[in-house]
Amino acid sequence: CIRDSFPMIRGHQGAIVDFDFSPFADNIIATASDDLTAKVWSLPTHNEFKTDLIDASVVLSGHGKKVTLLAWNPTSENVIATTSMDKTVRVWDITNPSNSIVLPEANEVLLS
């Protein structure tokens, strides 16, 4: 079973529904989950990645329903946007994750 052969990201309380690698650092990945959070992870190098990742570098909390999509800003290194089933978009500076910008509620859930 592949799950038993390779280390996995297991730090969410729910399923990971989207992910995106940072355009600025090959070892940084963000994940979106149905546990209402997005998380940023610092991946170890290939030789050091031997156990599951449990503790994220940054936790982005604030959505009221599952986080469905996320994307890094291609020109601002620490900025990421998330969308949620709560019909909001949040823009985060991962150096200050407790302070996100919330865009007005959309008329429908954003799926792409």
Side-chain angles (χ1 to χ4, degrees), residues 43-110:
L43 301 176
T45 64
H46 176 71
N47 292 337
E48 296 172 349
F49 199 1
K50 298 184 189 294
T51 61
D52 292 344
L53 291 178
I54 305 297
D55 298 317
S57 302
V58 178
V59 178
L60 306 173
S61 298
H63 283 293
K65 293 187 178 180
K66 81 176 186 176
V67 181
T68 54
L69 297 169
L70 55 79
W72 291 96
N73 184 305
T75 59
S76 294
E77 185 171 358
N78 295 315
V79 177
I80 192 166
T82 57
T83 64
S84 169
M85 293 297 286
D86 65 10
K87 300 181 183 177
T88 63
V89 174
R90 287 181 179 259
V91 180
W92 311 82
D93 176 348
I94 63 168
T95 63
N96 185 12
S98 63
N99 189 18
S100 65
I101 297 169
V102 182
L103 302 180
E105 186 172 302
N107 291 330
E108 53 191 64
V109 174
L110 301 170

